Amino acid sequence: MKKSDSVKLKINGKKVRVKVSGVAEMYAGHFIYMTKAYYERATHDSYQSNVTIVRLKDQDVKNVENTAVDFIKLPDVYNVSQNTSLIRQLASIVDSLQMVMVILTFLSVLPAIVIFYNLTNINVAERIRELSTVKVLGFHNREVTLYIYRKTIVLSFVGIVSGLFSGRSRIKSSWR
């Protein structure tokens, strides 16, 4: 459904066609909002409020269900709609996705460590040959190797920290 579509509704026993002027995605239920004037124009009836939205202070599932039972017992209440099961289901899905992301993040760090280790071992032999000029200045093989390891460790640490910080800030901004 999109803007400017029309929808057939049954309101007070009458079939009415209404024009969609906007769509809002709601994952916990679907609603139609009309102004008083539009309702009267579409149905040719005077407007009467037929819905009351209640938000409970204590939103515990048992409390919501008990309150819904109490409401439906009232003589002027014909229907009670609650979305606790859908909200629970969405929360469960989000928790599952979050756990999958933690596992994938952990599993992606392990190959990175192996790759850094292998690249460092391979590059040490090449760099020692390239850094022969450093040896001419009096450095020993062990000092050259430690220099290379220190540089690789520092750069790896900076990359890991900046990647984690950047990823965490993107995850936070996507949930807003």
Side-chain angles (χ1 to χ4, degrees), residues 7-104:
V7 180
K8 292 179 185 176
L9 300 174
K10 191 173 185 180
I11 301 174
N12 296 333
K14 295 179 184 178
K15 291 183 181 178
V16 177
R17 181 176 290 276
V18 294
K19 183 180 172 191
V20 176
S21 63
V23 176
E25 288 188 37
M26 300 183 73
Y27 300 105
H30 304 287
F31 304 94
I32 295 177
Y33 300 101
M34 290 186 217
T35 63
K36 179 181 174 182
Y38 188 78
Y39 177 87
E40 290 175 350
R41 189 172 58 233
T43 63
H44 304 292
D45 282 339
S46 62
Y47 171 78
Q48 288 182 327
S49 177
N50 61 357
V51 174
T52 302
I53 298 175
V54 177
R55 183 178 179 94
L56 303 174
K57 286 183 183 177
D58 180 8
Q59 294 186 6
D60 179 57
V61 174
K62 279 293 184 196
N63 184 48
V64 171
E65 290 171 355
N66 291 337
T67 305
V69 168
D70 292 341
F71 276 141
I72 203 69
K73 290 178 184 176
L74 297 172
D76 292 333
V77 175
Y78 299 104
N79 185 20
V80 174
S81 178
Q82 54 179 322
N83 52 12
T84 54
S85 62
L86 182 58
I87 289 172
R88 259 187 283 155
Q89 184 180 11
L90 289 173
S92 173
I93 290 169
V94 168
D95 289 343
S96 298
L97 287 173
Q98 190 171 11
M99 181 57 71
V100 168
M101 292 307 297
V102 167
I103 291 169
L104 288 176

Side-chain angles (χ1 to χ4, degrees), residues 136-156:
V136 171
L137 296 173
F139 291 96
H140 300 288
N141 284 343
R142 181 180 160 103
E143 291 172 319
V144 173
T145 303
L146 289 176
Y147 165 77
I148 294 170
Y149 278 136
R150 190 173 34 242
K151 183 171 117 179
T152 303
I153 289 170
V154 168
L155 290 176
S156 298

Side-chain angles (χ1 to χ4, degrees), residues 77-135:
V77 175
Y78 299 104
N79 185 20
V80 174
S81 178
Q82 54 179 322
N83 52 12
T84 54
S85 62
L86 182 58
I87 289 172
R88 259 187 283 155
Q89 184 180 11
L90 289 173
S92 173
I93 290 169
V94 168
D95 289 343
S96 298
L97 287 173
Q98 190 171 11
M99 181 57 71
V100 168
M101 292 307 297
V102 167
I103 291 169
L104 288 176
T105 302
F106 177 74
L107 291 176
S108 68
V109 168
L110 294 178
I113 291 170
V114 171
I115 290 169
F116 282 137
Y117 176 76
N118 286 334
L119 287 176
T120 303
N121 283 342
I122 292 168
N123 287 337
V124 168
E126 292 175 12
R127 287 185 183 172
I128 287 176
R129 277 186 247 122
E130 291 172 5
L131 297 173
S132 60
T133 55
V134 174
K135 289 182 184 178

